[in-house]
Amino acid sequence: MDQKQLEEKIIQNYQGEEKMMILVFAQWCINHDLNPEELYLRAYPHQAKNIALKEAMELAVSKDEAGEIGDETLLGVLSLFGNDDLAFVVTEEIAKMKPRK
């Protein structure tokens, strides 16, 4: 495998992992009755429609069919990809869900 092929393989792996991160985000939102597109838009108001998010939403299942995705799991995945703005919006939503003491 030459350098160019190696670079292409690394890029393909990253893109595949990024799609998985987006799917985890979308499913977490669905599991909590939140609209993934609205949260994404709050985090990134100047970005055009996210095609990968739309594709992930098509792959996501109803919350009745889905397994649980922990809040910390989602925040960790977002952090791995440097989605700090989206993690901030998710953290705000998590705070709204927590019962006040």
Side-chain angles (χ1 to χ4, degrees):
M1 184 177 294
D2 66 17
Q3 184 67 25
K4 183 164 178 57
Q5 290 172 319
L6 180 61
E7 289 173 2
E8 287 174 7
K9 180 124 179 99
I10 290 170
I11 290 169
Q12 288 173 349
N13 286 344
Y14 180 85
Q15 290 171 336
E17 291 171 2
E18 185 179 41
K19 285 182 180 181
M20 183 58 66
M21 176 268 304
I22 295 168
L23 179 57
V24 169
F25 165 71
Q27 190 64 60
W28 180 89
C29 289
I30 290 167
N31 290 357
H32 291 90
D33 299 317
L34 298 168
N35 182 323
E37 290 176 315
E38 287 178 11
L39 266 63
Y40 186 86
L41 190 58
R42 279 179 31 207
Y44 304 109
H46 301 294
Q47 286 191 10
K49 285 228 180 234
N50 186 319
I51 294 169
L53 178 57
K54 185 167 182 59
E55 291 172 355
M57 289 173 59
E58 291 171 2
L59 293 173
V61 296
S62 72
K63 72 181 195 177
D64 295 331
E65 298 175 85
E68 184 176 333
I69 298 171
D71 300 342
E72 294 303 318
T73 299
L74 174 61
L75 292 172
V77 169
L78 293 175
S79 176
L80 282 173
F81 284 86
N83 281 315
D84 298 332
D85 294 337
L86 190 54
F88 181 79
V89 171
V90 167
T91 301
E92 289 179 331
E93 292 300 321
I94 292 169
K96 290 178 190 177
M97 293 178 217
K98 302 280 184 210
R100 303 241 188 251
K101 295 183 179 180

